């Protein structure tokens, strides 16, 4: 309505599993379009699918497939997921580790439904194993902090590895070609997106997600990006 009456560009509704990786692109977008109001919705992939179908959100960024017909999408990032361990841990000096070697290790993990937890469960199931989880929660960005405190080990994406340099952690590659994640932006096909949604879609799609810091050029990185 704001767009139609010429009073502004209106509101855009963005959903994602976490917004820690969005500080850079959202800050740049608000500087370029101060008249756009951004609503952020932290949702699981299942919830994103439902709200995209119901048109309750305009855009969704997920690290796992969204099962909804009639969507368009663009891949933002495809990256390795590695293992973070505390300094002094027996695995800290290793370059790589096999999944089967992690059977008895205590894991810090996100709750079921989060991409990181699904990846962990899938990797272990492929070896006929079940991960030993000693801590699970909704605050995925705290995983690296808890690992550095010595409470366990955990999977972290390469983006977090580049930005969590202030934490006392050792990083170990996981010897599996499936230990990766793909960050994908989704929006409804066909129907005309509001101007605000189109502007944010283009800004997120054009952002340099491979930059050395999650904040992008000229912005500080965010530790523990999941």
């Amino acid at each position: 309505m704001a767009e139609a009456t010429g009073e502004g560009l209106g509101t855009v509704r963005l959903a994602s599993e976490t917004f820690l990786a969005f500080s850079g692109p959202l800050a740049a977008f608000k500087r370029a379009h101060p008249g756009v109001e951004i609503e952020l919705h932290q949702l699981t992939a299942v919830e994103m699918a439902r709200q995209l179908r119901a048109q309750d959100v305009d855009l969704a960024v997920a690290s796992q497939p969204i099962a909804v017909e009639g969507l368009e999408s663009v891949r933002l990032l495809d990256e390795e997921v590695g293992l973070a361990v505390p300094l002094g841990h027996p695995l800290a000096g290793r370059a790589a580790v096999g999944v089967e070697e992690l059977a008895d290790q205590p894991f810090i993990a996100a709750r079921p439904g989060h991409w990181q937890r699904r990846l962990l469960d899938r990797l272990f199931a492929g070896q006929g194993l079940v991960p030993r989880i000693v801590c699970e929660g909704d605050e995925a960005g705290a995983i690296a902090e808890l690992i550095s405190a010595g409470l366990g080990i955990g999977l972290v994406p390469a983006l977090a590895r580049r930005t969590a340099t202030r934490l006392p952690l050792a990083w170990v590659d996981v010897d599996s070609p499936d230990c990766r994640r793909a960050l994908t932006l989704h929006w409804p096909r066909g129907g005309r997106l509001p101007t605000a949604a189109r502007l944010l879609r283009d800004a997120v799609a054009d952002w340099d997600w491979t930059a050395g810091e999650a904040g992008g050029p000229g912005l500080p990185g965010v530790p523990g990006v999941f």
Side-chain angles (χ1 to χ4, degrees):
M1 291 178 64
E3 179 183 354
T5 59
E7 296 177 358
L9 294 175
T11 300
V12 55
R13 302 161 299 175
L14 172 66
S16 184
E17 292 153 301
T18 177
F19 291 103
L20 287 173
F22 285 87
S23 60
L26 291 181
F29 180 81
K30 283 297 290 184
R31 287 196 302 270
H33 306 285
V36 175
E37 182 174 319
I38 303 174
E39 290 183 7
L40 301 178
H41 301 259
Q42 188 171 8
L43 306 172
T44 66
V46 172
E47 292 169 330
M48 279 189 267
R50 183 175 66 252
Q51 294 207 21
L52 279 170
R53 186 183 299 113
Q55 299 183 14
D56 290 331
V57 297
D58 303 302
L59 309 170
V61 177
S63 297
Q64 53 188 304
I66 292 182
V68 175
E69 294 184 1
L71 293 183
E72 294 189 54
S73 62
V74 62
R75 180 72 54 85
L76 303 176
L77 180 69
D78 188 305
E79 63 175 354
E80 287 184 303
V81 176
L83 187 73
V85 302
L87 295 181
H89 189 278
L91 296 174
R94 296 277 296 273
V97 62
V99 175
E100 67 281 356
E101 299 179 78
L102 303 175
D104 296 323
Q105 293 290 333
F107 271 85
I108 310 296
R111 290 191 185 277
H114 190 277
W115 75 266
Q116 185 257 29
R117 178 62 175 275
R118 288 193 173 188
L119 175 59
L120 179 64
D121 290 342
R122 187 167 65 248
L123 290 172
F124 271 68
Q127 300 294 325
L129 301 170
V130 176
R132 183 164 74 90
I133 296 173
V134 297
C135 176
E136 67 176 22
D138 296 320
E139 194 177 356
I143 290 177
E145 300 274 358
L146 295 173
I147 295 170
S148 69
L151 299 180
I153 66 175
L155 296 178
V156 294
L159 190 60
R161 179 172 179 171
R162 294 197 298 271
T163 59
T165 54
R166 68 177 180 82
L167 296 175
L169 294 170
W171 308 92
V172 185
D173 291 339
V174 177
D175 188 13
S176 170
D178 298 323
C179 197
R180 305 185 64 85
R181 76 147 171 181
L183 196 65
T184 304
L185 171 65
H186 302 272
W187 66 92
R189 180 185 299 133
R192 178 179 176 272
L193 278 176
T195 299
R198 287 190 286 109
L199 290 171
L200 184 58
R201 177 197 63 189
D202 295 344
V204 170
D206 293 341
W207 186 254
D208 184 5
W209 292 94
T210 63
E213 292 186 339
L219 290 170
V222 178
V225 177
F226 289 88

